[in-house]
Amino acid sequence: MDATTIGQETINELAASYKKSSEVKKITELAMQGKLDFEDALRKRVKVLENAPVSIINLTQPRLIIEPDLIDFVQYCKDRGIPCFLISGGFVELAEEIARKAGMADFHANQLQVKNERLTGELLGEIVDAEAKAIWMQKKCKDLNLSLKEVVAVGDGANDIPMMLKAGLSVGYKPKEILYNKVNAINLSGSHRFLKDFLFA
């Protein structure tokens, strides 16, 4: 989702809503470059949100802007019976609305723990990390009776690598350098129209 479906990193935006932006931005960038363990980095950043009012989620949502032509691409796929899915190391509380707006068939993301209308700085359940993304993709393929060779995976950072390596085709969307030799195509256009031209032309 982050920097692929939308142009922002949701943890950074949540932190900005809580006036804690500078404390998480550096950790986010290092994690996306593959220089930090994703789970450790995620937990450290979420901990910064401890005691934040749950209202920061509603404050953050309007700042999350879907990337150009993604909605059109998803609709184009739907018209042809091809489902699109959102798999994110971000958060259910924000991903659900983005998935709905984009027209995704389903989504999977981390869940923030809330107690007494405040974030606890912890997460619920298993972490959606790089391996979890790949596993969820495989599960969807099984549910739909599809081969992984029939899947196109799109992402931008180190956390997408296992998923992209298992997919039949992978596309880096404005990718970090670590993805350059891991993907089949690189989209630097800033628009998901590239996918329509690349996959269906």
Side-chain angles (χ1 to χ4, degrees), residues 8-146:
Q8 299 75 35
E9 293 286 343
T10 50
I11 185 66
N12 292 350
E13 296 299 320
L14 282 169
S17 296
Y18 192 40
K19 310 297 189 221
K20 299 278 188 177
S21 182
S22 61
E23 297 180 41
V24 302
K25 277 188 176 180
K26 186 174 181 180
I27 301 173
T28 297
E29 187 60 28
L30 291 173
M32 289 306 296
Q33 291 173 5
K35 296 178 180 178
L36 287 177
D37 173 75
F38 177 82
E39 180 173 349
D40 184 48
L42 178 63
R43 291 190 184 280
K44 284 180 179 178
R45 289 175 293 175
V46 171
K47 193 68 176 175
V48 173
L49 302 176
E50 185 176 7
N51 208 39
V54 74
S55 60
I56 68 166
I57 294 169
N58 290 333
L59 288 175
T60 301
Q61 191 80 60
R63 298 204 302 274
L64 305 182
I65 309 301
I66 293 175
E67 286 289 89
D69 296 308
L70 178 67
I71 293 173
D72 288 344
F73 173 73
V74 173
Q75 185 61 52
Y76 186 85
C77 289
K78 286 171 71 174
D79 290 344
R80 285 152 182 78
I82 303 168
C84 295
F85 299 92
L86 177 64
I87 314 176
S88 178
F91 310 104
V92 166
E93 294 79 2
L94 295 166
E96 182 174 18
E97 180 66 5
I98 296 299
R100 184 192 67 77
K101 286 181 179 179
M104 300 291 181
D106 199 0
F107 75 98
H108 187 48
N110 291 298
Q111 187 164 8
L112 296 165
Q113 186 181 65
V114 177
K115 288 185 180 179
N116 301 317
E117 295 300 308
R118 291 191 174 272
L119 303 185
T120 66
E122 304 292 337
L123 294 164
L124 293 173
E126 294 183 6
I127 297 295
V128 181
D129 59 9
E131 289 301 326
K133 285 185 176 185
I135 290 168
W136 197 78
M137 180 180 72
Q138 290 175 286
K139 179 181 181 298
K140 281 296 171 187
C141 283
K142 185 176 180 180
D143 292 345
L144 296 169
N145 195 29
L146 294 173

Side-chain angles (χ1 to χ4, degrees), residues 158-170:
N159 196 38
D160 300 311
I161 290 174
M163 173 183 72
M164 299 177 104
L165 291 179
K166 288 182 182 297
L169 191 69
S170 58

